[in-house]
Amino acid sequence: MAFNSLGFLAFFAAVCAALALTNIPAAKRALGDKLFGARHVLLIAANYVFYASWNWKCCFLLLALTVIAYVSAANCRRSRFALHAGVVLPLVILGVFKYFNFFVGSFCELFGLAEPGALKLLLPVGISFYTFQTLSYIIDVYRGKVEAERSPIKLALYISFFPQLVSGPIVKAGEFLPQLCEDRNVSLVNLEKGVQIFLFGLFKKVVIADNIAVFVNAVYSNPVQFGGGTVLLAVVGYSIQLYCDFSGYSDMAVGCARGLGYELPRNFNMPYLSRSVKEFWKRWHMTLTSFLRENVYFPLGGSRKGMARTCVNLMIVFLLSGLWHGAGWLFLLWGLMHGAASVLYRIFRKPYDGLHPALQWMINFGFIVVAWVFFRATSLADALAIVKSMLMMNFGPLRDSIT
């Protein structure tokens, strides 16, 4: 049930109508102190119906992660076992569903072994997002940033909240759980603001991203058929497509949540205006950046242990970022490129910052665009062919096959 489908619009309207009924004075009087709880149960039911529309079997996985989070958070501050179990089990689940076949296949290929056969597992939609959200909650409870949630209903709502369940943003417990203690619900004001945000995201996704994708897919499917100018247009076009697609979904998530009375964090802030790779990651997928900074980079030592250690930490963070985006060597290579760029910026920051801002932007945008080639291409050979074609810049006419 994608956000840009009529089925989702009907589903969202039904959820809003059901929640709006709890605003009726008679319903408020009848529910009394159970008003908030009734709304939360309604939303949890909606969350699981929404997720079941993708694959109902994956609802058990979502429920299992909720149980793990509840038990671990309740005990992690007095039991290291509970903490380790709460961190390791979600990572194992994520690893089996998303990375097992990739790592086993790569290991067998490296050592010339016969592959045992791929596990026929359906990749659960949004598993990377709600797994990281689960980890964030457990770790924040252990660090004392938030209290362990005593209500399993509230915790289940936080982990399964349908607007951000599939494509993020990754929401911290401290940002969302306090809202469940407030009188938040559907209202005309919330719906008006939410619909505005949702329509803006829908425009970016359907009008811009989906139309650019037709041209981009045609070029990336067989890049050697096209001249350098056409390939360059496709590469830049993909950068625009990816941004409008991902940020469009994030906007729609924020808009849906706002319509229901809840607020989600902003996930993008005009990233292509960045003048350095460091600034880019402060503007692109900001909730993932925040998660990796707080839960990987800082625990590794951040920038507190000298330049060499800082560079190693940056490389680890960006390799994990690449792996998080997908199980494949090109995703790792993309992460490696961003890690190397971050290290170079850290080393040569003073002379780089002395350049004219326009030149900084050109260098950074050029790097971001080229790196996206390895993110999008289906093979390393295709990625290298695309980069080579751009460098040769043999401008030719757009092919008739692109429609």
Side-chain angles (χ1 to χ4, degrees), residues 274-285:
S274 305
R275 300 203 301 262
S276 70
V277 68
K278 180 180 180 180
E279 183 183 359
F280 175 79
W281 281 101
K282 288 183 177 180
R283 294 168 172 262
W284 177 276
H285 204 345

Side-chain angles (χ1 to χ4, degrees), residues 260-298:
L260 298 173
Y262 298 92
E263 297 180 11
L264 299 181
R266 189 178 184 182
N267 211 20
F268 293 87
N269 182 22
M270 296 182 287
Y272 290 147
L273 296 181
S274 305
R275 300 203 301 262
S276 70
V277 68
K278 180 180 180 180
E279 183 183 359
F280 175 79
W281 281 101
K282 288 183 177 180
R283 294 168 172 262
W284 177 276
H285 204 345
M286 295 184 291
T287 56
L288 175 63
T289 301
S290 177
F291 177 91
L292 292 174
R293 182 178 62 246
E294 295 179 9
N295 298 298
V296 180
Y297 183 66
F298 288 161

Side-chain angles (χ1 to χ4, degrees), residues 40-239:
H40 297 162
V41 170
L42 278 173
L43 271 177
I44 291 174
N47 296 340
Y48 276 81
V49 169
F50 174 77
Y51 202 53
S53 70
W54 299 91
N55 189 309
W56 66 269
K57 296 178 182 178
C58 295
C59 290
F60 294 105
L61 176 62
L62 188 62
L63 179 61
L65 285 173
T66 302
V67 172
I68 291 171
Y70 185 80
V71 174
S72 175
N75 300 281
C76 67
R77 301 199 69 180
R78 58 176 181 270
S79 169
R80 283 298 182 92
F81 175 79
L83 171 65
H84 294 158
V87 172
V88 171
L89 287 177
L91 288 176
V92 168
I93 292 172
L94 178 63
V96 169
F97 279 93
K98 189 171 182 178
Y99 302 108
F100 181 82
N101 290 332
F102 167 66
F103 281 123
V104 170
S106 298
F107 180 84
C108 292
E109 183 178 355
L110 180 63
F111 292 99
L113 303 175
E115 289 193 38
L119 288 179
K120 296 182 179 180
L121 297 174
L122 177 68
L123 180 63
V125 176
I127 187 173
S128 296
F129 287 96
Y130 59 76
T131 298
F132 270 30
Q133 193 155 298
T134 300
L135 292 173
S136 174
Y137 166 70
I138 295 171
I139 294 170
D140 281 353
V141 170
Y142 172 72
R143 291 174 176 168
K145 292 184 177 181
V146 295
E147 293 293 326
E149 180 54 60
R150 295 183 178 181
S151 168
I153 299 297
K154 290 181 180 179
L155 183 61
L157 176 53
Y158 161 66
I159 292 177
S160 66
F161 192 48
F162 77 83
Q164 49 75 226
L165 181 62
V166 172
S167 297
I170 301 170
V171 185
K172 296 178 182 178
E175 296 172 329
F176 189 82
L177 287 176
Q179 298 182 52
L180 301 181
C181 300
E182 302 169 354
D183 188 10
R184 292 175 176 262
N185 200 15
V186 176
S187 68
L188 290 178
V189 173
N190 286 330
L191 281 175
E192 180 182 2
K193 293 181 179 178
V195 167
Q196 289 176 356
I197 299 171
F198 182 90
L199 289 178
F200 181 60
L202 186 66
F203 178 84
K204 288 197 289 186
K205 162 62 181 169
V206 175
V207 178
I208 301 177
D210 288 355
N211 283 288
I212 293 178
V214 177
F215 168 63
V216 170
N217 293 341
V219 175
Y220 269 86
S221 64
N222 199 347
V224 297
Q225 287 188 348
F226 301 94
T230 304
V231 171
L232 177 60
L233 287 175
V235 169
V236 175
Y238 176 67
S239 300

